[in-house]
Amino acid sequence: MQLNRIFVSVTLGLLAVSNSALSLDKSNDENVEVMEVTGSYFNDYQVEDASGAMRSNVSLLETAQAVTVIPETIIDEQLATTLGEVLNNDASLSPGTKQRNREVFSSRGFELSSSTGYLRDGHQHWSHYQQPIETLSRVEVIKGPSSILYGQSAPGGLINMVTKQPTTSPLLEISADTDQNGSTRFMLDAGGEIFEDTAYRAVLVKQDVDFQREYQNGEARERDRFLGSLVVEHNISDNLVLNVHYDRTDDKAGLDTGAWLNDEPDVISDKNVINDFSWSFTDIEVENIGAKLTYFINPDWEMKVGYNEQSFTRQRFESSPSLPSDYQSGDSYDSNPYDRSDDWQFKTVYFDLNGTFTFGGVEHNLLIGANGLDYYYGQLIERGDTVSFTPGQTEPAKPDLDFNRDTSLSVTEYDYYGVYFQDLITLDEHWQVAVGGRYDKQNRDGADNESLLPKVGVLYHPAENSTVYLNYSEGFEPQSSETIEDELDSNFGMEIDATTSKQIELGAKWQFSERLLLNTAIFNIEKTGTLISEQLLDDPLFETVTTQSGKQVHKGFELSAQGAVTDKLFVMTSLMYLSAEFEEDESFEGNTPVDAPKWSASVWTRYELTEQLALNAGLFYQGERFADNANTVLKDAYTRVDIGATYRTNIWDKKVDFRLNVENVLDEDYLAGGGIDNVTIGDGATARIEAKISF
């Protein structure tokens, strides 16, 4: 390992923050009141609520749904740099492909869409890029269909990313981290009062990544990222608060569309060599700007109005290699280069009225709201000539391509809105009922859609610290057309409804010893309405008949524990068993979807040796998974072991944390997410070290 790079980078970072510390005027601290806090020197793992699950401040014990919350403490301890590294902590999520500098995930075996599978602070969020996790205070994994509150979404659930918010207490943290490959990341996190009644939170990140896989010509694959984020909150009055935010991400990286597999499955050619050419790249610019206005009507009622505008532009200069049939190591393959521009514009808005009241001796926690999305996508592309390449030859020169020469513009536009209600009814100290519904309408040329969805949950509390619940929920995903358009199909012109999903979930939650939350859930999810076309024989007029009879069933159970086991031992662990099957499908009936393992598990722990020193250990297991829906290629199970340590000390009266993490410490050779022609090669043992100073 190139440990000299680690020590050089950390030393430079320490020198920078040390000079800043020396320049501080210590007289500013003379009148500061010092408060001594006893107990654990580090934050706890447990979180008591999830804002995205119910769109209101309802505890997890009163939520009739499986939800996992991954707090900032764990994100920091793991030195996570991508959302995928964070989501490893929940076994219900399985990683998919990482091609083209983005990450794909499945929840309970259903792939999450970039456009409908992610939220940020309750807004639908376009997630076709690696998320800026440095701005997040926690990540909420909401499991099962959640369309009632958010509209179109996948059956497996949603990922809600909760951002860091302004703080009135002064905050200034500067950190630097690096790994053995030479990657570096420098980060500033600041907050406090600008003036009376106005506070802010700002995050700046500069990251350079050197990857382990390299191109055919020996060049390293690299990534260059900048992130800037600012949130300002102003108390207009005692009961009216305005929150505005802006962030920008610039992310440019060389392309790696993944490795190729044969039927064994073995990686064809060298696992450390990229099939794309070194001149291929993706260059992304993302901006989010928006505001939220919160009005506290009285102690029991509040109203929120939120708006966010997301601009996502990308240039992708591709070599686009394609896997030939019966390919053997050393054979030639074709690449089909192109230069492409993508422009996505997301405008989201929501209105929520939430409050509690008593009627007829029964308590109600009522939510009434509406949300909407305006979607625009435009594409320009220029394609080049096919290039044949044999490994070992000189890499072909970069072709003269420019998407600006494309005189056509491919455009997709649609909008949708929905209105919803939800009522958590407390009948007595043991029984609660959650009911809700949504009406949703999509306006899209050739694919209009309307949906009406119910949701109901029953909660029983045997004791104050425990819950048994049963819920039923539905979801939907509109299809690309509103009618069957093939004139040779006997159902030509038939209206196509959205695909729908239904879940029944039975679960239990137990708050053990006030600091450890235990969860278990059994679920059955059915997705129906996908199109199936069958050939017609001896029909003089039509060749096929197409129906919405496709059906996919995923069922299983989950176990998890999160919090403090003792005063010194903290744990976040989960386990999932999943049986996923295409029950009725035109091509894959009886098969299992890609990257849906029967068994998966994760464990992350911290043990505090002293008030200054804590040790971490993690284990992440993915069972056997198919690399294709045809189930011809089965990837082996793997177990990845991580270790880490955190040491806290004082330098010049400033708190300094040193963190060391070693991912895949046993150097396990494994295949992660992805299919036959885009599988992700698991990284070998990787050491990362960070120094952070808090002023």
Side-chain angles (χ1 to χ4, degrees):
M1 294 187 301
Q2 302 171 2
L3 293 177
N4 57 319
R5 293 187 180 182
I6 296 178
F7 294 130
V8 168
S9 299
V10 172
T11 300
L12 290 174
L14 284 174
L15 286 174
V17 298
S18 299
N19 290 333
S20 299
L22 286 171
S23 67
L24 291 178
D25 183 359
K26 293 184 179 181
S27 63
N28 291 337
D29 297 332
E30 293 179 356
N31 298 321
V32 175
E33 181 182 357
V34 178
M35 179 179 296
E36 182 177 354
V37 179
T38 60
S40 173
Y41 203 50
F42 299 90
N43 291 331
D44 201 292
Y45 277 31
Q46 188 185 325
V47 178
E48 295 182 352
D49 57 48
S51 59
M54 300 284 282
R55 291 190 74 98
S56 57
N57 294 323
V58 176
S59 73
L60 292 175
L61 286 177
E62 294 184 305
T63 302
Q65 189 173 4
V67 182
T68 297
V69 182
I70 306 167
E72 185 180 359
T73 300
I74 292 177
I75 297 174
D76 289 344
E77 283 182 354
Q78 295 176 341
L79 295 181
T81 60
T82 70
L83 183 61
E85 293 171 358
V86 178
L87 297 182
N88 280 333
N89 294 288
D90 188 341
S92 71
L93 294 162
S94 54
T97 177
K98 290 185 180 180
Q99 64 175 336
R100 298 184 174 94
N101 196 32
R102 59 176 291 247
E103 297 176 295
V104 175
F105 313 98
S106 293
S107 178
R108 291 182 171 176
F110 291 98
E111 184 175 313
L112 298 176
S113 166
S114 296
S115 59
T116 62
Y118 301 84
L119 308 169
R120 199 177 84 157
D121 296 327
H123 287 279
Q124 188 172 332
H125 185 74
W126 182 244
S127 186
H128 214 61
Y129 68 112
Q130 293 198 22
Q131 294 300 309
I133 65 169
E134 296 87 355
T135 65
L136 304 182
S137 64
R138 62 184 183 179
V139 177
E140 301 173 350
V141 183
I142 305 166
K143 303 175 188 181
S146 300
S147 291
I148 178 179
L149 297 180
Y150 298 105
Q152 48 190 268
S153 60
L158 290 167
I159 306 298
N160 184 36
M161 296 169 283
V162 182
T163 59
K164 297 175 180 177
Q165 292 301 304
T167 172
T168 55
S169 302
L171 169 70
L172 178 58
E173 294 180 345
I174 300 174
S175 64
D177 64 69
T178 186
D179 67 23
Q180 78 220 41
N181 300 316
S183 304
T184 58
R185 180 177 60 167
F186 299 92
M187 175 177 168
L188 180 145
D189 188 356
E193 280 195 323
I194 303 174
F195 45 81
E196 187 177 359
D197 294 329
T198 303
Y200 80 99
R201 188 71 174 269
V203 175
L204 291 174
V205 176
K206 178 64 173 70
Q207 182 184 24
D208 295 284
V209 181
D210 290 330
F211 295 91
Q212 293 186 1
R213 279 163 52 90
E214 62 183 24
Y215 292 103
Q216 299 276 355
N217 62 0
E219 290 186 15
R221 179 183 173 225
E222 298 178 341
R223 178 187 179 203
D224 182 10
R225 181 175 73 109
F226 168 79
L227 164 67
S229 171
L230 177 65
V231 185
V232 177
E233 189 165 275
H234 175 61
N235 295 325
I236 300 173
S237 65
D238 290 341
N239 56 0
L240 188 61
V241 179
L242 175 64
N243 182 292
V244 296
H245 65 268
Y246 172 81
D247 65 78
R248 179 185 175 95
T249 298
D250 293 327
D251 194 348
K252 184 174 182 178
L255 281 177
D256 180 357
T257 53
W260 295 342
L261 299 177
N262 59 23
D263 293 342
E264 296 304 325
D266 292 322
V267 177
I268 307 174
S269 74
D270 190 333
K271 70 174 184 178
N272 294 318
V273 176
I274 300 170
N275 297 314
D276 305 79
F277 297 143
S278 62
W279 39 258
S280 61
F281 68 88
T282 178
D283 191 358
I284 294 170
E285 294 181 0
V286 186
E287 287 186 311
N288 287 279
I289 185 169
K292 178 178 68 174
L293 190 65
T294 304
Y295 177 52
F296 299 95
I297 302 171
N298 57 45
D300 297 322
W301 287 86
E302 67 178 34
M303 180 178 68
K304 293 180 182 178
V305 178
Y307 173 83
N308 187 74
E309 185 170 331
Q310 184 180 20
S311 172
F312 181 106
T313 58
R314 177 184 69 186
Q315 180 188 6
R316 210 166 76 195
F317 202 106
E318 287 258 17
S319 58
S320 189
S322 56
L323 172 63
S325 59
D326 300 323
Y327 182 80
Q328 301 294 321
S329 178
D331 290 352
S332 63
Y333 59 88
D334 289 343
S335 289
N336 298 280
Y338 60 83
D339 186 25
R340 171 173 153 181
S341 171
D342 300 291
D343 179 15
W344 285 276
Q345 302 293 327
F346 259 48
K347 297 178 182 178
T348 56
V349 63
Y350 71 81
F351 164 82
D352 283 348
L353 177 64
N354 179 233
T356 60
F357 65 96
T358 301
F359 180 76
V362 176
E363 297 180 9
H364 296 261
N365 187 329
L366 182 64
L367 170 69
I368 300 173
N371 63 348
L373 166 73
D374 183 80
Y375 174 96
Y376 168 87
Y377 170 63
Q379 181 190 106
L380 296 171
I381 188 169
E382 183 178 64
R383 300 184 183 276
D385 296 330
T386 299
V387 177
S388 180
F389 175 75
T390 302
Q393 293 181 341
T394 301
E395 178 184 273
K398 181 180 178 181
D400 179 21
L401 298 173
D402 187 347
F403 66 81
N404 289 300
R405 291 196 286 254
D406 184 4
T407 57
S408 63
L409 177 64
S410 174
V411 173
T412 301
E413 292 182 281
Y414 68 87
D415 63 77
Y416 79 79
Y417 65 87
V419 293
Y420 50 85
F421 83 95
Q422 177 180 265
D423 191 8
L424 177 61
I425 305 168
T426 302
L427 302 174
D428 56 36
E429 62 179 341
H430 295 296
W431 290 96
Q432 290 180 301
V433 177
V435 296
R438 177 187 182 91
Y439 169 76
D440 192 279
K441 179 172 177 59
Q442 173 177 279
N443 301 303
R444 181 173 181 174
D445 186 22
D448 287 351
N449 182 266
E450 288 184 276
S451 297
L452 187 63
L453 304 174
K455 176 181 178 180
V456 61
V458 178
L459 303 96
Y460 173 66
H461 305 283
E464 186 179 359
N465 64 340
S466 59
T467 301
V468 178
Y469 68 88
L470 177 68
N471 84 12
Y472 172 82
S473 59
E474 294 187 5
F476 71 97
E477 297 171 279
Q479 304 205 44
S480 59
S481 175
E482 61 182 345
T483 61
I484 294 176
E485 299 176 343
D486 185 357
E487 296 184 1
L488 295 179
D489 193 282
S490 64
N491 282 329
F492 168 67
M494 183 185 78
E495 291 188 1
I496 303 174
D497 296 326
T499 60
T500 59
S501 54
K502 301 177 181 180
Q503 174 183 265
I504 297 177
E505 180 177 283
L506 174 65
K509 306 177 183 184
W510 182 29
Q511 185 70 51
F512 179 73
S513 71
E514 297 184 356
R515 296 189 303 174
L516 182 67
L517 181 62
L518 307 178
N519 298 272
T520 184
I522 303 171
F523 59 88
N524 186 92
I525 306 174
E526 294 185 1
K527 178 181 178 179
T528 57
T530 54
L531 300 179
I532 293 181
S533 294
E534 298 179 34
Q535 294 294 319
L536 293 176
L537 301 177
D538 301 324
D539 191 307
L541 298 177
F542 301 103
E543 295 180 355
T544 60
V545 56
T546 299
T547 59
Q548 285 193 262
S549 56
K551 184 177 181 181
Q552 193 172 339
V553 178
H554 294 205
K555 50 191 175 184
F557 68 84
E558 299 170 347
L559 298 170
S560 67
Q562 185 172 352
V565 179
T566 69
D567 289 341
K568 295 182 177 293
L569 178 61
F570 298 78
V571 64
M572 180 172 188
T573 181
S574 60
L575 169 75
M576 182 179 72
Y577 168 79
L578 175 67
S579 173
E581 182 183 355
F582 294 103
E583 281 202 356
E584 297 176 21
D585 188 87
E586 182 175 348
S587 303
F588 307 118
E589 188 166 323
N591 291 357
T592 300
V594 170
D595 281 325
K598 279 191 176 295
W599 291 98
S600 53
S602 68
V603 181
W604 181 258
T605 62
R606 181 183 76 229
Y607 184 76
E608 298 177 3
L609 288 175
T610 68
E611 287 189 343
Q612 283 77 35
L613 180 62
L615 303 180
N616 297 107
L619 182 150
F620 305 96
Y621 172 79
Q622 288 282 309
E624 292 180 330
R625 296 138 294 136
F626 286 105
D628 59 339
N629 286 331
N631 291 179
T632 60
V633 178
L634 182 65
K635 295 183 291 186
D636 291 337
Y638 69 87
T639 302
R640 197 189 83 202
V641 178
D642 297 356
I643 60 172
T646 302
Y647 179 71
R648 176 169 293 178
T649 187
N650 287 314
I651 299 178
W652 296 298
D653 295 326
K654 302 303 175 186
K655 183 177 67 178
V656 179
D657 290 343
F658 296 96
R659 286 193 172 95
L660 170 67
N661 273 53
V662 183
E663 181 180 301
N664 193 12
V665 66
L666 301 180
D667 204 22
E668 173 83 359
D669 188 9
Y670 68 95
L671 301 176
I676 295 172
D677 61 352
N678 61 10
V679 72
T680 299
I681 305 296
D683 286 336
T686 305
R688 184 180 297 135
I689 191 169
E690 178 198 57
K692 179 169 69 175
I693 184 168
S694 302
F695 296 96

